[in-house]
Amino acid sequence: MTPTPAQIQEEKQEIAAAYQDMLQAYLRSNHRRKVELIERAYRFAEKAYEGARRNSGEPYLKHPVEVARIVIKELGLGSTSICAALLHDVPDNTDYTRDDISSMFGEKIASIVDGLSRISGGIFGSKAAVQAENFRKLLLSMSTDIRVILIKMADRLHNMRNLRAQQESKQSKIAEETLHIYAPLAHRLGLFKMKTEFEDLAFRFEHPEEYRAIMEKISEGEDERAEIVRKFVDSVREKLDRAGYRYEIKARVKSAYSIYRKMQKKGIPFEEVYDIYALRVIFENDDDALERLKCWEIYTFFTDGHQVHPDRIRDWTSTPKSNGYRALHLTVMGPDGKWIEVQIRSRKMDDIAELGYAAHWKYKTGEESPRESELDKWVNTIKDILANPGPTALDFLDTIQLHLFSSEIYVFTPKGDLVTLPAGSTILDMAFAIHSQLGRHCLGGKVNHKLRPLSYKLESGDQVEIITSEFQRPKEDWLMHCHTARARTRIRALLRKNNSL
């Protein structure tokens, strides 16, 4: 149906308001003020998309503006990323080219737009080889500039929020792709808030009846939970106030998808999922050196007079997760006899917990890329996989998905250096994680002072000394004794090199 002039005018006002909201969020950030550049990108996009409409019938310009809004308001990125978001569909959907963007907005913005253009299609194809190639493009773009994948996440999030506008035949495919590719990628990048929304939106379309049933039960117990939380935190608030903390306490309910997964995994009904709700204490902190100390002080406020679950204390303040997550977790018995998880974070910790590596831009004044060693390690591993792909497309996909979905363990060298590895890793994996030459000549290792073979699986807390021999060489069966993408790709490369000699 062709919109009336009045409807067109109303749509223009709506888009202009969304753009102004995005611009105000940018001006409130600590990024360098490049309003003129953003304004030019908006006017360029407005001209490029003039008269164009999406499948949903809404003006095409609305989508890039909403993506740019997510980029600044929910990811905290700066002017380069905002402009790339406004222009990300231009090369694919208008007569303008990458060269046009480069000449008007510079090579950096054009490069990011080009990266986004290369991955504009879906990941899942009808054949494994198509999936692998699409996934390879996605990862290649990401390893060139991490902002490519962050903007792609914003693009996917807006599309998921408007999934009902898609044809029913496409909804399931997009939801499945989001659940199996984008949610794990968001998790690996530390985008917890986005990961949770991806999962819930996909779950809503994949299993509508189960989603509705869980949401109804969550809603039924809302008032009761609020009262329990109020009683539980009153005494803690008194202690926080007395100690002079500036803070906020949030009560959150576990996401519908997380509840569903736990019900499926344990074969239990909704009523037996004990950690439905959790508390988050976020305190203001002006001195990074005091963060850990303050977390543990607040911990004592909860443990005083409450029973603590001894097996559910997690100290991510001293050993952050590889996606940058830091917090102190404990689980305490609530007034109704049910366990309540408590997460204690500084404001900075909370930003990083919600936004992952994207949060590092918030704490910088420019657009320079954050130097985060764990992020560098992960991106370098992705580069390794791309440079040394598996023998088949399926093998490539398995390697990538293993790397995305795996949980982590923390092991130590004899000098006390921490090494983060995927769960299931062996001594051989650790050797390659430290250095390729160490892996190449690995014989085995001493784990907690006991000799173990190179195939020995490590556990969190193990202290590991790698034993090597200059005569040791990689063998074909080593591929059976390693778990990480890095070790596998390096071993394959070494085997190919040896075979060619």
Side-chain angles (χ1 to χ4, degrees):
M1 184 185 293
T2 306
T4 65
Q7 287 172 325
I8 291 172
Q9 186 58 30
E10 190 178 333
E11 288 170 345
K12 284 183 177 178
Q13 288 172 352
E14 235 178 82
I15 293 168
Y19 170 72
Q20 285 302 322
D21 182 61
M22 178 273 291
L23 201 57
Q24 289 307 310
Y26 171 70
L27 290 170
R28 287 193 299 271
S29 74
N30 61 358
H31 290 289
R32 287 198 296 265
R33 299 291 177 262
K34 294 185 179 177
V35 176
E36 188 272 334
L37 180 69
I38 294 171
E39 184 71 21
R40 273 200 295 120
Y42 174 65
R43 295 302 169 202
F44 183 84
E46 189 177 43
K47 182 181 176 185
Y49 298 127
E50 191 173 8
R53 293 189 171 266
R54 302 190 88 201
N55 292 337
S56 60
E58 67 184 19
Y60 206 102
L61 182 63
K62 185 176 179 181
H63 170 67
V65 170
E66 291 296 346
V67 173
R69 191 149 66 152
I70 293 170
V71 159
I72 178 62
K73 293 188 77 171
E74 299 184 44
L75 292 177
L77 304 181
S79 58
T80 300
S81 302
I82 290 169
C83 290
L86 288 168
L87 303 169
H88 77 274
D89 277 340
V90 165
D92 291 330
N93 294 294
T94 76
D95 294 331
Y96 292 100
T97 66
R98 179 198 193 282
D99 290 341
D100 293 327
I101 293 171
S102 180
S103 64
M104 290 194 68
F105 301 99
E107 183 54 29
K108 175 54 70 178
I109 290 172
S111 173
I112 294 173
V113 170
D114 189 49
L116 288 159
S117 180
R118 289 173 191 273
I119 54 176
S120 59
I123 302 297
F124 286 166
S126 56
K127 297 178 181 176
V130 176
Q131 291 184 42
E133 179 56 22
N134 289 342
F135 211 169
R136 191 188 71 79
K137 286 179 183 175
L138 177 87
L139 296 169
L140 190 61
S141 298
M142 184 195 75
S143 65
T144 304
D145 190 322
I146 196 70
R147 285 172 291 192
V148 173
I149 196 64
L150 294 174
I151 299 165
K152 182 63 180 175
M153 291 286 185
D155 176 47
R156 175 52 59 114
L157 184 58
H158 183 246
N159 284 331
M160 283 300 294
R161 286 172 177 172
N162 294 275
L163 193 55
R164 291 200 186 284
Q166 289 282 354
Q167 298 168 8
E168 281 190 29
S169 58
K170 287 186 176 181
Q171 287 177 358
S172 181
K173 180 187 170 186
I174 294 169
E176 184 187 2
E177 184 176 281
T178 300
L179 198 56
H180 293 288
I181 301 296
Y182 287 95
L185 264 175
H187 172 73
R188 185 54 64 185
L189 289 165
L191 300 166
F192 179 77
K193 190 176 179 183
M194 193 173 277
K195 170 206 174 237
T196 303
E197 190 171 352
F198 275 149
E199 288 176 342
D200 271 9
L201 287 169
F203 176 46
R204 190 176 186 172
F205 280 90
E206 290 274 271
H207 303 282
E209 293 302 320
E210 291 90 337
Y211 175 83
R212 196 175 300 114
I214 289 172
M215 291 307 291
E216 281 175 5
K217 293 199 173 185
I218 288 173
S219 183
E220 283 169 13
E222 194 172 343
D223 292 341
E224 182 188 352
R225 277 194 302 274
E227 182 59 22
I228 289 165
V229 167
R230 188 191 63 75
K231 288 179 183 175
F232 180 63
V233 300
D234 274 354
S235 61
V236 176
R237 283 188 189 279
E238 287 177 20
K239 295 183 178 78
L240 285 163
D241 291 340
R242 206 159 41 236
Y245 277 92
R246 291 172 292 132
Y247 66 93
E248 63 174 316
I249 297 179
K250 295 179 180 177
R252 70 166 183 86
V253 177
K254 204 177 185 75
S255 74
Y257 182 68
S258 294
I259 293 169
Y260 174 73
R261 279 186 64 191
K262 184 156 278 192
M263 288 165 62
Q264 294 294 305
K265 186 178 177 182
K266 298 196 171 184
I268 56 175
F270 177 91
E271 289 71 22
E272 290 180 31
V273 180
Y274 72 83
D275 55 348
I276 294 283
Y277 48 101
L279 284 180
R280 186 172 296 156
V281 180
I282 304 162
F283 62 91
E284 305 298 336
N285 178 58
D286 301 321
D287 186 350
D288 286 354
L290 296 177
E291 270 185 329
R292 282 198 70 219
L293 188 65
K294 288 181 177 180
C295 284
W296 282 103
E297 183 178 31
I298 295 170
Y299 167 89
T300 65
F301 296 165
F302 280 97
T303 57
D304 186 17
H306 293 107
Q307 185 180 342
V308 179
H309 197 305
D311 299 327
R312 291 185 63 83
I313 297 172
R314 300 286 183 270
D315 181 11
W316 303 112
T317 63
S318 55
T319 310
K321 293 185 180 182
S322 63
N323 58 21
Y325 180 86
R326 294 172 67 232
L328 181 59
H329 291 198
L330 65 151
T331 302
V332 185
M333 183 73 77
D336 62 342
K338 291 183 179 177
W339 294 107
I340 298 175
E341 184 184 70
V342 179
Q343 301 168 354
I344 303 168
R345 308 171 177 171
S346 69
R347 178 67 61 189
K348 185 174 179 180
M349 286 177 178
D350 188 61
D351 283 337
I352 292 171
E354 294 297 301
L355 299 177
Y357 289 110
H360 290 272
W361 269 277
K362 179 173 178 176
Y363 294 97
K364 292 183 179 289
T365 54
E367 277 274 325
E368 68 268 26
S369 178
R371 291 191 299 273
E372 181 66 31
S373 61
E374 289 297 341
L375 176 62
D376 291 339
K377 286 178 193 172
W378 188 65
V379 171
N380 285 335
T381 300
I382 295 299
K383 287 178 179 176
D384 275 348
I385 298 167
L386 293 167
N388 300 286
T392 68
L394 278 174
D395 184 78
F396 174 79
L397 283 175
D398 286 346
T399 302
I400 287 289
Q401 293 206 328
L402 172 77
H403 199 68
L404 280 178
F405 282 98
S406 59
S407 52
E408 295 159 344
I409 59 170
Y410 303 90
V411 294
F412 299 88
T413 68
K415 291 182 178 178
D417 294 329
L418 178 71
V419 180
T420 304
L421 295 165
S425 292
T426 64
I427 288 173
L428 188 59
D429 288 309
M430 181 173 176
F432 274 104
I434 295 170
H435 198 281
S436 293
Q437 287 302 311
L438 203 62
R440 182 180 187 175
H441 299 298
C442 178
L443 284 173
K446 284 184 182 178
V447 181
N448 304 323
H449 309 293
K450 292 182 181 178
L451 280 171
R452 301 293 185 190
L454 54 76
S455 59
Y456 182 81
K457 285 189 178 179
L458 302 172
E459 295 182 1
S460 267
D462 283 344
Q463 186 184 61
V464 186
E465 179 185 350
I466 306 296
I467 298 172
T468 62
S469 166
E470 61 180 291
F471 302 108
Q472 177 73 305
R473 293 290 182 274
K475 302 173 182 65
E476 199 75 44
D477 66 354
W478 278 21
L479 291 168
M480 298 165 57
H481 302 318
C482 61
H483 183 74
T484 61
R486 181 183 178 87
R488 286 181 178 181
T489 53
R490 292 292 165 87
I491 290 166
R492 286 197 189 99
L494 290 166
L495 288 172
R496 281 198 299 274
K497 187 177 178 182
N498 290 342
N499 290 337
S500 65
L501 294 176

